[in-house]
Amino acid sequence: MTEVPRIVLDPSVLAGKPIIRGTRISVDFILELLASGWTESAVLHEYPGLGRDDILACIRYAQEIVRDERVYATPHQGKSTG
């Protein structure tokens, strides 16, 4: 995985979850807000210590994780995701 400079993993902060550098705000929290319909401007308004680059870094981090994920096909069992 390529390093995402604004994202750090520090075992002493949030049990080592990926966070935005200099904060205790986790990547998954920002992604959850965005997935729940929050706009970028709403996140920045509610968390004024963050910048647009922090939000983009969270998205980049998630993209890096998914890109490197290995998926193995299994027989279709009538289930769909999403």
Side-chain angles (χ1 to χ4, degrees):
M1 183 174 125
T2 306
E3 181 180 331
V4 180
R6 290 180 178 272
I7 305 302
V8 296
L9 288 81
D10 182 345
S12 67
V13 180
L14 294 180
K17 290 176 79 168
I19 60 170
I20 299 169
R21 183 181 306 281
T23 74
R24 294 182 60 82
I25 300 173
S26 67
V27 169
D28 72 295
F29 177 70
I30 296 300
L31 295 173
E32 181 181 346
L33 293 178
L34 295 172
S36 296
W38 285 48
T39 63
E40 177 184 307
S41 61
V43 173
L44 296 176
H45 175 73
E46 196 65 31
Y47 299 92
L50 298 182
R52 182 172 194 270
D53 289 340
D54 295 319
I55 293 173
L56 293 176
C58 291
I59 296 168
R60 169 60 66 191
Y61 184 86
Q63 183 271 326
E64 292 279 341
I65 294 292
V66 172
R67 184 190 69 206
D68 293 341
E69 182 179 33
R70 299 292 177 244
V71 178
Y72 301 96
T74 58
H76 179 65
Q77 297 176 3
K79 297 180 181 179
S80 64
T81 59

